[in-house]
Amino acid sequence: MECVFGLVGNDFAVVAADTSAVHSILVHKSNEDKIMILDSHKLIAASGESGDRVQFTEYIQKNVALYQFRNGIPLTTAAAANFTRGELATALRKVEDQMILESCKSSSGVPLVLSHYNPYFVNILLAGYDKETGPSLFYIDYIATLHKVDKGAFGYGSYFSLAMMDRHYHSGMTVEEAIDLVDKCIMEIRSRLVVAPPNFVIKIVDKDGAREYAWRESVKDAGVPSA
Amino acid sequence: MARYDRAITVFSPDGHLFQVEYALEAVRKGNAAVGVRGTDIVVLGVEKKSAAKLQDSRSVKKIVNLDDHIALACAGLKADARVLINRARIECQSHRLTVEDPVTVEYITRYIAGLQQKYTQSGGVRPFGLSTLIVGFDPYSGVPALYQTDPSGTFSAWKANATGRNSNSIREFLEKNYKETSGQETIKLAIRALLERG
């Protein structure tokens, strides 16, 4: 039920994500920020298995930072997207060995090893701004599909947000027009998706950097009741 | 493979590790580097030899960033420095990833010194031929720090120090002239110390 979507404007890119953290029928919290600031001019909006989401995006973030220290210049958005895709692709087919308990050793004394693949169940929209090439948005799904897009969405909400964006998007939108479209998508999701997430966070990236733009809350976490 | 198991750094009869001492010689031949700690600033200065005419001097980086809040300068074998700096940069990010906190200056110094020590006690390798000066501000306390490591793998904190060529006379100058300073005054002290080697 996680909803993530984004689009590219005239000199910026905007992404929105729902902020619910759900486990089966329980909502753990409704203010979970799923859009990570990858570096000064990049955003990663991620949806999927919450453990994988945090582990994978933090791993990407630290590797992007390491690149910058090693090379003195930041990665371009496209390079970061390709790196991210590469890591997802590798995890898809690289065998991960897991040692089995001592007690299960074979008769010859050789430790038994369980081999399995360990894919990350994370869908990512990577938005960034490069001085030379302007804003860009990359669609990266959990089986390592990579597309450079003007608008993209993941989750059940994508049925509604993609339709909304197909109808109203045009290239070169201003921030006001884009946020208006984002709000239209959120309204559509709230009204038409059966277990719709109530709250969303919107982040934007432009020449001045990546930053939080706004929250759209229809349900606030209950505060601690007074005694 | 058995040939490479032999340790290169072994004790002499009178308790010296000659390879380490020779490494210190290499450091003494390197360009001077100075570090000064102020109350709200830490300064690193390095001597820049007159560059070869055709060399692009901007590509020769003598003071490098290990992380957003840590910098390093070194004296000695610059090629060895690249390896050490690369490992330290990885460790800075790895620390952030596992404990969600930036490294303290002492932590990364201990890491680098530990690495230098490993190479004095392993088979088939020689010690790193450099001493480093590491400066930075601790992430939450904001306290400024200056540390030095050397090829033996020892490290300690300093108010001001120098390494490389003429480090003894520069250190003497610093001992005579050091006082708690801040901002521009600290920078001036570092520059005067470097010019002192004359």
Side-chain angles (χ1 to χ4, degrees):
Chain A
M1 301 299 178
E2 294 194 356
C3 308
V4 172
F5 60 95
L7 57 113
V8 177
N10 60 7
D11 60 353
F12 66 94
V14 63
V15 283
D18 79 284
T19 59
S20 59
V22 169
H23 190 90
S24 162
I25 58 167
L26 172 69
V27 178
H28 277 300
K29 60 193 292 213
S30 48
N31 58 358
E32 169 83 355
D33 187 351
K34 298 177 192 169
I35 306 181
M36 168 183 277
I37 293 183
L38 195 62
D39 74 9
S40 63
H41 287 73
K42 291 181 194 52
L43 290 168
I44 276 199
S47 74
E49 198 64 50
S50 47
D52 284 350
R53 171 169 55 80
V54 173
Q55 293 288 76
F56 183 71
T57 54
E58 284 188 357
Y59 171 72
I60 298 296
Q61 185 191 52
K62 301 310 187 253
N63 272 284
V64 166
L66 183 62
Y67 180 95
Q68 186 158 348
F69 281 109
R70 276 184 170 151
N71 298 286
I73 51 164
L75 276 168
T76 59
T77 310
N82 276 282
F83 171 68
T84 305
R85 188 215 91 94
E87 291 300 305
L88 286 169
T90 302
L92 217 43
R93 291 192 170 82
K94 181 158 173 276
V95 169
E96 186 113 332
D97 288 339
Q98 183 188 11
M99 297 287 284
I100 301 197
L101 294 174
E102 290 279 311
S103 54
C104 303
K105 276 210 174 106
S106 65
S107 54
S108 58
V110 174
L112 285 175
V113 169
L114 199 63
S115 299
H116 64 113
Y117 297 116
N118 183 29
Y120 294 103
F121 286 108
V122 203
N123 296 312
I124 283 169
L125 280 177
L126 203 160
Y129 185 93
D130 304 303
K131 238 182 351 180
E132 301 81 15
T133 49
S136 51
L137 183 65
F138 288 87
Y139 172 104
I140 308 169
D141 81 3
Y142 74 102
I143 41 177
T145 307
L146 173 68
H147 289 306
K148 183 173 185 305
V149 295
D150 287 330
K151 49 183 154 41
F154 282 110
Y156 284 118
S158 68
Y159 289 116
F160 308 104
S161 47
L162 228 33
M164 225 43 196
M165 289 194 284
D166 283 343
R167 172 70 183 81
H168 295 289
Y169 177 88
H170 59 86
S171 64
M173 293 173 87
T174 64
V175 177
E176 291 72 31
E177 289 175 324
I179 296 298
D180 192 56
L181 179 49
V182 166
D183 281 329
K184 280 196 170 74
C185 293
I186 291 175
M187 261 196 307
E188 208 53 26
I189 290 169
R190 277 190 182 144
S191 58
R192 289 298 186 184
L193 187 53
V194 62
V195 193
N199 303 335
F200 286 80
V201 63
I202 306 172
K203 295 198 182 177
I204 194 170
V205 58
D206 60 16
K207 65 173 179 10
D208 299 323
R211 59 193 178 280
E212 192 176 281
Y213 182 87
W215 284 69
R216 298 288 188 241
E217 287 175 309
S218 64
V219 160
K220 272 196 147 63
D221 261 336
V224 177
S226 50
Chain B
M1 232 27 218
R3 291 254 180 87
Y4 299 103
D5 283 345
R6 278 279 224 81
I8 286 176
T9 312
V10 290
F11 280 111
S12 69
D14 58 346
H16 290 251
L17 286 172
F18 279 124
Q19 279 302 302
V20 174
E21 296 189 7
Y22 298 158
L24 280 157
E25 257 312 299
V27 170
R28 255 172 247 131
K29 292 195 161 52
N31 294 329
V34 139
V36 183
R37 186 187 82 195
T39 52
D40 62 351
I41 187 174
V42 279
V43 182
L44 280 176
V46 292
E47 172 195 13
K48 210 161 185 190
K49 289 276 303 295
S50 51
K53 284 215 184 99
L54 295 172
Q55 186 184 60
D56 186 353
S57 56
R58 291 169 306 168
S59 69
V60 183
K61 288 201 154 72
K62 301 206 175 161
I63 304 180
V64 295
N65 273 333
L66 297 183
D67 202 342
D68 294 324
H69 60 304
I70 312 254
L72 175 149
C74 57
L77 265 45
K78 291 295 190 265
D80 286 3
R82 269 207 320 272
V83 173
L84 223 46
I85 288 166
N86 192 41
R87 297 287 295 273
R89 281 172 168 161
I90 292 173
E91 180 61 20
C92 284
Q93 295 307 314
S94 178
H95 187 275
R96 278 179 186 260
L97 188 59
T98 48
V99 305
E100 282 206 7
D101 257 345
V103 294
T104 57
V105 191
E106 199 230 358
Y107 177 94
I108 198 64
T109 306
R110 188 194 303 276
Y111 177 81
I112 292 174
L115 213 48
Q116 286 179 293
Q117 192 280 340
K118 242 194 270 272
Y119 281 70
T120 67
Q121 213 177 6
S122 301
V125 299
R126 60 164 177 80
F128 287 97
L130 67 145
S131 293
T132 70
L133 286 172
I134 301 164
V135 297
F137 287 83
D138 277 346
Y140 295 110
S141 64
V143 170
L146 163 66
Y147 282 84
Q148 190 211 30
T149 73
D150 64 30
S152 67
T154 52
F155 72 93
S156 53
W158 294 74
K159 295 184 187 144
N161 202 359
T163 178
R165 212 190 313 261
N166 299 119
S167 58
N168 285 328
S169 49
I170 301 178
R171 202 173 303 116
E172 255 178 59
F173 174 88
L174 286 168
E175 277 174 18
K176 271 200 212 87
N177 293 284
Y178 179 84
K179 50 188 197 322
E180 289 275 310
T181 51
S182 68
Q184 286 292 107
E185 284 305 310
T186 320
I187 300 176
K188 274 195 227 158
L189 180 58
I191 296 176
R192 276 166 51 215
L194 264 176
L195 292 170
E196 177 65 16
R197 59 168 194 81

